[in-house]
Amino acid sequence: MATALIVLAAGQGTRMNSDLPKVLHPLAGVPILWHALQAGRSLDPERVVVVTGHGAAAVEASVRAYDPDATCVRQAEQLGTGHAVAQAMPALAGFAGRVVVLYGDTPFIHPDTLQALIDSPAEVTVLGFEAADPARYGRLVAAGDRLDRIVEWKDATEAERAITLCNSGVLAAEAGLLAELVAGLGNDNAAGEYYLTDVVGAARARGLAARVVTCPEAETLGINTRVELARAEAAFQARARAEAMETGVTLQAPDTVFFSFDTAIGRDAVIGPNVVFGPGVTVESGAEVRAFCHLEGCHISRGASVGPFARLRPGAELAEDVHVGNFVEIKNSILDEGVKVGHLTYLGDAQVGERTNVGAGTVTCNYDGVSKHRTVIGREVFIGSDTMLVAPVTVGDRAMTASGSVITGDVPEAALAIGRARQVSKPGLAVKLFEKLKAEADRRQKKVR
Ligand code: UD1
Ligand code: CA
């Protein structure tokens, strides 16, 4: 059955004490909100609607960055979760299928859990969890998996507060029904809010079925404070490390490796200590990332080795058996099979052909202060140490550049390019110069005394 997603993200997040909207605080390298969007994406939704309010412009920009096809709907006043869903329903006009409601501040709902929710045959299905400390969560009044209603903590009796089965906030219902139910909500309750949770009682009153599907409490963790954000980050990293090792990745010092929400590493890859993965990194089987590397938006192929102390920025593509050594930065560049960039180098907006060797201290001068330009280096080229490649520039196959050259013009195939002043050696001049300098220094000393 077709599915659609509504993500609630209009709340202020007062307790973050921040100018940044809560759902935009980074978790595992990306906004908290992206985790919910990613979990929702696993259902292959036909439509995605995000309800925004506080910091709407920034939140909407972030939504578009993740999913340009998502619709954002503004909820001018935060009158409750039911009101928020009601704002989203017009954007689902004409959609016939199941709607899943997620919270933008609840990042860890597992795709399998969402699938279980979708697979439930009931008209309304709520995701619940057994809370270690039920605190102020809404309580699920249920018999087995048959759900009667949800009662908010504020409105609950002592007996209801004793229930430990709690509402995660995630809910699934057929689109047309959900639209009718939220349109009929009132706000006559302790908070004076339109509660989404009241749709359960309303569905039951119509003689429809409501069920509860449960998941581990860890999945329902919501983020309200910076302490909770730090806890969520730790929980994410612990899980990512364990998962990496379970799938055959060696982590030499797991506690010092930081993953992003989408890091993908193949079996038998080896990751050294203190490696940070930003978003968009894939590492193939058998590759090695040595200590203290910072990687972001890059691909490392089988047999390649990177670091220690290397930085790969977005668009760095390393083919098989490439070697990138210490203090090398690579941005938006494709390195073909067997390329070696051993030391102290910057490659930006470059293409480097097979088995080319890039000497220490090489820099692609890709920026002229206004625009970026490309450097194209052929195959089996030898770039001498300390070569400045002033882009746009092309170096042909099997060519060579002399150390210390500033290459401003294209180098033909198989040519040796030398772009530096010719060396002159003046016999005996070094000693004379020393004597002169010492004499001057002595004169200055005498004056002082
Ligand atoms: C809600 C549930 C509660 C559940 C708990 C789980 C209701 C009435 N209560 O309570 O049963 O146990 O979540 O965490 O649904 N939001 C909007 N617009 C609004 C109000 C909220 O977009 O007008 C968004 C918030 O940004 C947040 C989410 O909805 O992401 C939940 O809102 P929040 O106020 O935190 O709900 P709770 O009172 O915690
Ligand atoms: Ca909450």
Side-chain angles (χ1 to χ4, degrees):
M1 194 197 273
T3 60
L5 208 65
I6 296 177
V7 181
L8 304 187
Q12 181 161 25
T14 318
R15 288 190 286 152
M16 291 299 277
N17 198 6
S18 174
D19 291 337
L20 188 67
K22 172 168 80 173
V23 293
L24 298 189
H25 280 258
L27 173 67
V30 295
I32 294 170
L33 176 61
W34 287 23
H35 292 261
L37 291 170
Q38 179 179 250
R41 187 176 267 185
S42 70
L43 295 172
D44 194 18
E46 230 167 66
R47 297 194 207 175
V48 176
V49 184
V50 182
V51 180
T52 64
H54 283 279
V59 174
E60 287 163 9
S62 177
V63 170
R64 276 194 299 275
Y66 182 83
D67 178 0
D69 296 330
T71 308
C72 292
V73 170
R74 287 205 187 175
Q75 185 193 22
E77 260 188 295
Q78 280 67 62
L79 304 178
T81 49
H83 181 258
V85 169
Q87 308 311 297
M89 294 317 298
L92 294 180
F95 169 79
R98 289 219 136 185
V99 179
V100 174
V101 179
L102 298 176
Y103 292 169
D105 64 0
T106 304
F108 294 145
I109 307 285
H110 198 277
D112 294 347
T113 300
L114 292 181
Q115 194 56 51
L117 209 69
I118 284 290
D119 290 344
S120 156
E123 273 89 2
V124 176
T125 306
V126 169
L127 182 63
F129 63 102
E130 278 296 338
D133 170 15
R136 295 182 174 223
Y137 286 117
R139 305 299 206 265
L140 301 186
V141 182
D145 66 353
R146 281 190 33 229
L147 188 58
D148 265 341
R149 62 200 168 83
I150 305 178
V151 57
E152 288 304 297
W153 181 84
K154 280 185 183 169
D155 304 288
T157 62
E158 278 306 310
E160 286 164 341
R161 286 183 184 177
I163 297 172
T164 54
L165 183 62
C166 292
N167 176 30
S168 69
V170 179
L171 170 152
E174 187 272 321
L177 173 66
L178 185 62
E180 283 176 30
L181 294 176
V182 293
L185 290 174
N187 65 348
D188 182 15
N189 52 51
E193 285 181 6
Y194 296 89
Y195 292 161
L196 176 61
T197 46
D198 283 348
V199 301
V200 172
R204 290 303 308 273
R206 291 186 180 202
L208 302 174
R211 287 216 187 166
V212 52
V213 162
T214 56
C215 72
E217 184 170 8
E219 286 185 39
T220 70
L221 177 85
I223 297 169
N224 300 296
T225 64
R226 297 202 195 230
V227 169
E228 285 170 2
L229 176 61
R231 263 192 222 129
E233 182 73 43
F236 176 91
Q237 296 302 340
R239 209 164 36 239
R241 290 163 190 151
E243 270 172 25
M245 291 186 282
E246 274 159 30
T247 56
V249 178
T250 295
L251 301 182
Q252 292 170 336
D255 290 348
T256 68
V257 176
F258 292 84
F259 293 98
S260 210
F261 81 128
D262 61 352
T263 308
I265 308 181
R267 196 174 133 105
D268 290 322
V270 176
I271 312 297
N274 295 291
V275 172
V276 176
F277 292 92
V281 179
T282 48
V283 180
E284 287 184 13
S285 288
E288 185 179 0
V289 180
R290 298 183 184 145
F292 295 99
C293 287
H294 192 283
L295 316 173
E296 198 180 348
C298 62
H299 177 78
I300 301 171
S301 301
R302 193 177 285 269
S305 66
V306 177
F309 298 99
R311 178 169 184 211
L312 302 185
R313 291 171 51 203
E317 296 268 343
L318 277 49
E320 290 185 17
D321 303 321
V322 163
H323 169 63
V324 168
N326 44 260
F327 307 111
V328 171
E329 173 182 344
I330 298 180
K331 184 214 78 172
N332 188 32
S333 295
I334 297 172
L335 276 54
D336 289 344
E337 208 174 311
V339 165
K340 289 190 167 56
V341 189
H343 340 259
L344 299 159
T345 289
Y346 172 60
L347 296 181
D349 306 309
Q351 166 115 30
V352 185
E354 278 174 31
R355 289 186 298 286
T356 282
N357 186 90
V358 178
T362 294
V363 173
T364 53
C365 310
N366 60 327
Y367 186 49
D368 56 18
V370 178
S371 313
K372 301 280 169 66
H373 302 282
R374 289 193 67 76
T375 301
V376 179
I377 303 172
R379 55 192 292 165
E380 290 162 50
V381 169
F382 184 90
I383 301 291
S385 294
D386 197 29
T387 296
M388 299 293 117
L389 296 154
V390 182
V393 72
T394 298
V395 180
D397 295 346
R398 293 182 309 284
M400 241 188 209
T401 65
S403 295
S405 288
V406 178
I407 302 295
T408 54
D410 291 351
V411 180
E413 189 178 318
L416 166 64
I418 309 172
R420 62 183 189 215
R422 181 177 289 277
Q423 179 177 330
V424 282
S425 300
K426 311 220 168 173
L429 198 62
V431 174
K432 277 187 194 153
L433 189 58
F434 266 128
E435 281 168 357
K436 184 173 169 235
L437 292 172
K438 270 175 70 184
E440 278 172 13
D442 285 348
R443 266 200 303 280
R444 278 200 301 275
Q445 285 271 313
K446 271 180 201 145
K447 259 192 200 160
V448 173
R449 273 191 241 120

